Amino acid sequence: MQPEELAKTIDHTLLRCEATSADVEVLCREAAEYHFAAVCLFPHYVSMAASLLKGTDVKTCTVISFPFGADTPRIKALAADEAVRRGADEVDVVINVSALLSGEVGLVRDELAGIVHAARVRGVNTGHGQVIVKAIIETCYLDDRYKRLACHICEQAGVDFVKTSTGVGSYGATVKDVELLRDCLDAGIGVKASGGIRTAADAERMIGAGAVRLGTSSGTSIMEELLA
């Protein structure tokens, strides 16, 4: 894969609690320089990022119910609506892992469907077009049976991507998990690998396993490595 092709798989990520507006400016400048797919940051900075990235080919992505996914369905849907209203092109929402492990399959499915609906309606109303919704299933807490069930729920809810991890769990993306998700999902749903992707070799392994998006805070160093 050519460096410019790999760059378009990267969601350049800044999800540190101590991140400042100055850090966001750097993030957006780097993303525009390397033509990354998107920046991924906290909702507080969505308007700022959308403004900084206007006129570039980089999308603005934010997280919903990060990192635990334990907010109520109404709050998560409202958060998605607000994020798009403020300029988000994409939202990465953490599923309710606790509810999934408790057998509340219908709740998890309906919650995700509500988030997809809220984001899409607001996207149309604000002229954004179709907003991309990525569901973070946090694979480190799920056995293979639950990973497959999570993929089935995500398909039913109408999400665009299933994402492996928040990056704050006990471990992040693995080749095995990416392969499993890719095998489980309909061809129209993408896989985003996230957590622990720090080198060009890491990125290439995840893409080789079937990921079409990569969440990483090491985007610039990966590109520098490829272009050296």
Side-chain angles (χ1 to χ4, degrees):
M1 179 175 282
Q2 295 298 310
E4 60 271 18
E5 294 175 313
L6 190 142
K8 271 302 171 194
T9 71
I10 290 177
D11 287 357
H12 195 32
T13 302
L14 179 64
L15 294 171
R16 303 193 318 267
C17 65
E18 79 281 12
T20 66
S21 57
D23 295 321
V24 172
E25 289 182 10
V26 172
L27 183 84
C28 292
R29 185 168 63 249
E30 291 171 343
E33 176 184 353
Y34 288 110
H35 300 279
F36 291 139
V39 296
C40 186
L41 34 58
F42 290 126
H44 176 70
Y45 289 116
V46 165
S47 296
M48 178 182 176
S51 177
L52 289 169
L53 293 169
K54 188 174 182 180
T56 75
D57 59 350
V58 182
K59 302 297 185 183
T60 300
C61 175
T62 193
V63 288
I64 304 297
S65 199
F66 186 89
F68 300 122
D71 293 301
T72 61
R74 181 170 179 269
I75 294 301
K76 291 168 95 165
L78 285 170
D81 175 273
E82 173 71 2
V84 177
R85 188 186 68 79
R86 290 169 62 87
D89 304 294
E90 306 183 355
V91 295
D92 287 18
V93 56
V94 186
I95 72 165
N96 192 325
V97 177
S98 177
L100 177 65
L101 293 173
S102 299
E104 299 178 75
V105 173
L107 182 149
V108 178
R109 181 193 60 240
D110 293 348
E111 174 183 274
L112 279 177
I115 292 162
V116 170
H117 177 75
R120 299 261 168 84
V121 168
R122 180 59 69 177
V124 170
N125 289 342
T126 56
H128 268 70
Q130 182 163 313
V131 174
I132 298 297
V133 178
K134 310 185 200 97
I136 307 172
I137 66 171
E138 198 68 297
T139 50
C140 65
Y141 300 124
L142 307 178
D143 62 21
D144 287 356
R145 180 172 64 93
Y146 273 109
K147 290 168 193 171
R148 293 188 183 95
L149 177 58
C151 286
H152 182 60
I153 291 168
C154 289
E155 283 187 341
Q156 290 182 320
V159 305
D160 302 287
F161 284 81
V162 174
K163 178 177 171 181
T164 61
S165 320
T166 61
V168 301
S170 54
Y171 62 84
T174 68
V175 166
K176 178 184 174 184
D177 281 342
V178 171
E179 289 175 341
L180 186 152
L181 299 187
R182 182 63 279 156
D183 287 345
C184 286
L185 291 164
D186 181 83
I189 300 177
V191 175
K192 177 177 173 179
S194 183
I197 302 169
R198 299 184 179 90
T199 68
D202 292 335
E204 288 166 356
R205 278 194 293 271
M206 295 302 164
I207 292 168
V212 292
R213 283 284 189 101
L214 307 175
T216 177
S217 58
S218 301
T220 54
S221 60
I222 288 171
M223 293 307 297
E224 287 167 358
E225 183 182 349
L226 288 171
L227 294 169

